[in-house]
Amino acid sequence: MLYVNPHATRVPYPADLQDIMSIARAQESREWLAHWDGLTPGSTPLRSLPDLAASLGVRSVLVKDEARRSALGSFKALGAPIALVRLLLRQFEGRGFTAKSLLKGEDRDALTGFTTISATDGNHGRALAAAAQRIGCRCVIVLHAHVSDEREQAIAAYGAEIVRIAGNYDDSVEEAAALAARHGWHVVSDTSYDGYEVIPRDVMQGYGTVAAEVTETLAVQNGGASQAASPITHVFLQGGVGGLAAGIVSYLWERWGAQRPAFVVVEPEQADCLYQSAIAGKAASASGSVDSVMAGLACGETSPLAWRFLQPSVDAFMTVTDAQAVQAMQRLAHGSDSDVPFVAGESGVAGLAGLMRAAATPAMASALGLTPDSRVLLISTEGATAPSVYAELVGESATSVEQRQQAWLAR
């Protein structure tokens, strides 16, 4: 399904939103993250896939490969650490802590009594656990019934204490908030709710690193010349609660203003809270069961803070099926003579699944302004964060795909 957003605007980035998230604050986050050895140095690859672009009838398709961000295997490594650092700097103001000293583990002796907690579908909790382990504080992660044992083990490997509950992601968010209130712990969540916006803002601001790297890479490809309008025409982004989309949209909107690219947000048809929010004109809930093979996007409630950025900027919202996501995973894994094969997890391909669906449907392509001159950006937000699930869906292990990638690159 596709819904063209009547509230989308083509205006300079509003000052009230810039006060919440900005390029300047995103740059500060990047500088801080450079001190954390949990990240791979340098930018993640921006992969050009000319054969895929030709098959879809557009000029170019660029895919930012966030599986290479760190051993954590997803973009979440940019959000949770920054939010935890900013929380600790506020909480222990005057103690002499800095982002550098925290991320290098130099203050761990002073933080043994501090506990952070969060709900997760997998990747956010893993990133928070890794950051907490490095910084030296206790971490508790609440998992709902649909989170696989494989993802639980990956989180626990970073020293987190696991709390399991029945229900779905939204139930786990409520449980994390209740446990924090009961024990005096501190929630570091990537979704906002009534009275809780500062930390989700910090999480989303960390994601601005992805957009910053994209713009820098594109500038280099343009010979370093300044461009008044975006060199990409469309950005297809994953949905979820809206945090990633808000982090990317806010940066590119501030950078390009009224000349920004068209933004399209894609989510599972059974976890369509952003799609329903667009129809309702306010933050709303999903209409389906929420459970999806796209586990990281299986969210039933829109983040109200993220929605403040998405409602005035996202040109269209669409949903895709689990089968379409699997098809997109397989396409990226297979590669071609001109397209490097690479690993993209089930939640990481929603944007591509949406693009493939739109390109194959003339009415959708027309509504989105997709033409042979379109230059599309996608963000593959995760790798094989659940390796057995990846192998089952793709029909090939992530290791095998990576071996073929190395052979392709060595040609």
Side-chain angles (χ1 to χ4, degrees):
M1 295 188 291
L2 176 72
Y3 182 77
V4 176
N5 179 20
H7 298 288
T9 59
R10 290 279 174 173
V11 298
Y13 188 52
D16 61 326
L17 296 183
Q18 190 172 20
D19 287 341
I20 302 171
M21 288 202 293
S22 66
I23 288 176
R25 194 173 287 114
Q27 182 58 33
E28 181 181 55
S29 296
R30 290 182 72 190
E31 292 169 357
W32 288 2
L33 286 169
H35 299 299
W36 186 34
D37 59 10
L39 296 181
T40 303
S43 300
T44 54
L46 184 62
R47 305 191 185 281
S48 177
L49 305 178
D51 283 348
L52 176 60
S55 72
L56 298 176
V58 296
R59 175 179 292 185
S60 64
V61 173
L62 298 174
V63 184
K64 185 73 164 162
D65 185 2
E66 287 299 296
R68 299 295 183 182
R69 180 64 63 185
S70 75
L72 300 171
S74 86
F75 77 104
K76 294 287 188 177
L78 297 170
I82 282 296
L84 180 56
V85 165
R86 291 190 185 277
L87 168 62
L88 291 169
L89 291 177
R90 290 191 297 268
Q91 196 72 21
F92 294 94
E93 186 177 3
R95 294 286 295 273
F97 295 172
T98 66
K100 180 179 180 179
S101 68
L102 288 167
L103 288 169
K104 286 187 172 295
E106 297 171 357
D107 307 308
R108 59 176 51 252
D109 291 344
L111 297 173
T112 55
F114 186 93
T115 299
T116 183
I117 184 172
S118 185
T120 188
D121 281 312
N123 290 338
H124 173 76
R126 191 178 180 187
L128 181 62
Q133 183 182 65
R134 179 56 171 158
I135 287 169
C137 59
R138 181 185 177 208
C139 181
V140 178
I141 298 296
V142 182
L143 302 179
H144 59 85
H146 303 298
V147 177
S148 69
D149 290 340
E150 192 172 28
R151 286 193 169 91
E152 176 181 340
Q153 292 164 12
I155 296 169
Y158 287 96
E161 300 171 33
I162 306 298
V163 175
R164 273 281 188 177
I165 67 160
N168 59 25
Y169 172 75
D170 302 297
D171 297 318
S172 67
V173 170
E174 293 180 6
E175 179 65 14
L179 287 171
R182 189 179 310 145
H183 298 292
W185 299 342
H186 299 266
V187 177
V188 175
S189 173
D190 54 355
T191 188
S192 68
Y193 42 85
D194 187 30
Y196 182 79
E197 288 195 344
V198 172
I199 291 173
R201 175 206 65 192
D202 294 339
V203 173
M204 293 190 299
Q205 188 67 85
Y207 301 154
T209 292
V210 177
E213 291 178 358
V214 169
T215 57
E216 288 169 0
T217 301
L218 292 174
V220 169
Q221 293 175 354
N222 191 47
S226 178
Q227 296 166 294
S230 170
I232 49 177
T233 62
H234 295 74
V235 185
F236 282 69
L237 294 163
Q238 282 78 310
V241 300
L244 167 73
I248 301 301
V249 160
S250 63
Y251 190 104
L252 297 180
W253 189 4
E254 182 177 353
R255 172 64 184 84
W256 301 113
Q259 303 301 312
R260 64 170 177 80
F263 298 123
V264 183
V265 166
V266 186
E267 55 196 333
E269 62 179 4
Q270 64 271 50
D272 60 346
C273 59
L274 299 176
Y275 183 93
Q276 294 300 328
S277 298
I279 294 173
K282 61 181 180 180
S285 303
S287 62
S289 65
V290 179
D291 188 28
S292 167
V293 71
M294 293 169 270
L297 307 181
C299 309
E301 300 290 337
T302 297
S303 169
L305 178 61
W307 187 245
R308 291 176 59 183
F309 292 86
L310 301 182
Q311 185 177 32
S313 63
V314 175
D315 297 278
F317 295 82
M318 65 183 300
T319 61
V320 293
T321 66
D322 284 356
Q324 288 165 343
V326 172
Q327 181 185 9
M329 292 173 69
Q330 293 170 345
R331 174 61 182 83
L332 293 179
H334 186 265
S336 70
D337 285 345
S338 299
D339 296 354
V340 59
F342 64 98
V343 175
E346 51 272 26
S347 296
V349 297
L352 174 57
L355 173 61
M356 291 169 67
R357 173 62 175 158
T361 310
M364 284 188 179
S366 177
L368 296 176
L370 286 173
T371 73
D373 287 327
S374 295
R375 300 174 299 279
V376 183
L377 171 67
L378 307 170
I379 300 172
S380 177
T381 50
E382 66 172 6
T385 53
S388 66
V389 174
Y390 179 88
E392 179 182 355
L393 295 176
V394 174
E396 182 181 6
S397 71
T399 300
S400 175
V401 174
E402 289 166 354
Q403 289 172 344
R404 289 194 295 103
Q405 179 187 102
Q406 292 306 310
W408 189 98
L409 292 171
R411 294 181 308 173

